[in-house]
């Protein structure tokens, strides 16, 4: 992220993502069932740069072992001082409901929205954390009690690479 003393709130929050990444994914095999079984698989991602002077960004992630990829368009709303993360995956080609939020003073970002699990609507939370120049962490969680408790069901450990990703 850019130096907070020299930027407008929110602008440039996702600058750290620009470039190629190798991604280690861990996804719960059976979310919201209490099962502790995780599936681990590789991915590659590339953030194609920032747009609108740091107020927008676009990235693509590929999961070759799973046979699909995803795309995220991030847009900063200066009136609300928050980001919307707008996602689509290659399996459906449909835009998913956005998750919306911001980065906090401690450097982690938290974003909330609506999702569905096996056809049932569930609140969803994304957290971006442990951000350095060469690594970052992302996790997704669902709630079945309106956001009182969260079950993390997907994590991504990102490592910067010089190779062309996605």
């Amino acid at each position: 992220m850019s130096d907070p003393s020299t930027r407008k709130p929110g602008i440039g929050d996702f600058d750290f993502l620009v470039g190629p990444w190798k991604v280690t994914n861990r996804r719960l095999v059976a979310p919201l069932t209490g099962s502790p079984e995780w599936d681990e698989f590789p991915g590659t991602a590339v953030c194609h740069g920032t747009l609108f002077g740091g107020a927008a960004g676009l990235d693509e992630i590929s999961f070759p072992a799973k046979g699909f990829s995803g795309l995220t368009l991030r847009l900063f709303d200066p009136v609300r001082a928050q980001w919307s993360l707008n996602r689509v995956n290659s399996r459906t080609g449909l835009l998913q409901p956005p998750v919306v939020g911001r980065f906090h003073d401690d450097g982690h970002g938290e974003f909330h929205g609506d999702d569905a699990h096996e056809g049932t609507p569930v609140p969803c939370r994304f957290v971006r954390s442990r951000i350095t120049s060469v690594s970052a962490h992302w996790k997704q969680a669902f709630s079945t009690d309106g956001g009182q408790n969260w079950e993390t069901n997907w994590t991504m450990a990102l490592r910067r690479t010089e190779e062309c990703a996605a």
Side-chain angles (χ1 to χ4, degrees):
M1 287 186 288
S2 13
D3 179 356
S5 65
T6 62
R7 67 175 172 87
K8 296 178 182 177
I11 302 298
D13 281 345
F14 285 95
D15 286 355
F16 73 91
L17 266 182
V18 174
W21 299 86
K22 289 186 179 181
V23 184
T24 301
N25 295 274
R26 290 185 72 236
R27 188 169 58 178
L28 270 181
V29 172
L32 304 178
T33 66
S35 171
E37 185 181 352
W38 290 85
D39 179 25
E40 188 168 311
F41 54 97
T44 57
V46 64
C47 179
H48 298 286
T50 58
L51 307 164
F52 296 157
L58 182 69
D59 62 74
E60 184 178 6
I61 188 163
S62 177
F63 311 104
K66 298 298 180 185
F68 73 98
S69 56
L71 183 97
T72 302
L73 172 64
R74 294 176 308 282
L75 301 168
F76 184 70
D77 178 342
V79 173
R80 293 190 175 107
Q82 63 185 15
W83 288 92
S84 65
L85 311 180
N86 304 275
R87 307 157 289 138
V88 63
N89 75 58
S90 63
R91 288 185 290 199
T92 66
L94 300 174
L95 197 58
Q96 299 170 338
V99 292
V100 178
R102 63 182 46 92
F103 281 87
H104 301 281
D105 290 340
D106 65 3
H108 91 279
E110 193 166 321
F111 310 89
H112 293 261
D114 297 319
D115 208 322
H117 176 67
E118 296 182 350
T120 301
V122 291
C124 179
R125 177 180 71 186
F126 288 2
V127 174
R128 287 268 184 192
S129 63
R130 296 185 251 165
I131 298 165
T132 73
S133 62
V134 296
S135 64
H137 192 261
W138 171 89
K139 68 181 177 180
Q140 172 183 278
F142 290 157
S143 176
T144 58
D145 60 8
Q148 296 298 311
N149 296 287
W150 295 93
E151 177 187 77
T152 298
N153 57 53
W154 194 335
T155 67
M156 294 182 187
L158 291 85
R159 293 175 322 282
R160 175 121 9 234
T161 179
E162 295 302 320
E163 301 169 13
C164 181

